Amino acid sequence: LLASDCPPTHLVGFEFSGAVRMALENKGVIALSVDLRECDVGGCHAVMDVRDVLPLAHWEAAYLFPPCFQQLRHDTDCLESKISDGRAFWGCLLVIWCIFEGARYARMVTVEQADTLAADHLDWTAYGIGNTFFRTPMYGDDEDKSVRLFTFNAVQPPFEAAPTSPIPQPLRSQFHYVDEEERDRSRSS
């Protein structure tokens, strides 16, 4: 695929819904989505670990959505245990890998997280990395979610509405989902 006459120029990692890839395709961009799961809508998608795909090309842009459930700041059920046993560390390390390896292999990188611990311990500006926290209603969304974008060589569009409260709506506890799949689909909607 990458050696074809018309290879993908944009990489969308950790995405099984196809939403971002299709939005790019609707703008005339050739994009590849990568996730360990099948894509909900088919299309140009690889069922692989994105860490194996990112280094295979120099991408125009990489949009990466690493899992956040191990390092959610407001995980009142399990965060203390996840910090103690290292799950939060490895979750944050994956985010950091996405940012720095993304910048190595793509001209522009956007890494999305919820309100997680991944932002806490590095001086992002010292590395030329943008770090913006906002609430989705600030971009006109009806559902209120916390978002943190780490960006490299990217310009974030201006907000459409005034900032909303930094305190997120209470997330459903992980124990209120039937399984991990339902949790992931709900939180990545």
Side-chain angles (χ1 to χ4, degrees), residues 28-46:
V29 170
I30 301 171
L32 170 67
S33 59
V34 179
D35 195 86
L36 295 174
R37 293 170 276 194
E38 293 285 338
C39 182
D40 288 347
V41 295
C44 190
H45 180 79

Side-chain angles (χ1 to χ4, degrees), residues 136-152:
T136 54
M138 295 167 67
Y139 280 114
D141 287 352
D142 291 332
E143 190 166 348
D144 187 10
K145 290 186 177 183
S146 300
V147 175
R148 182 173 305 278
L149 292 182
F150 298 98
T151 56
F152 176 74

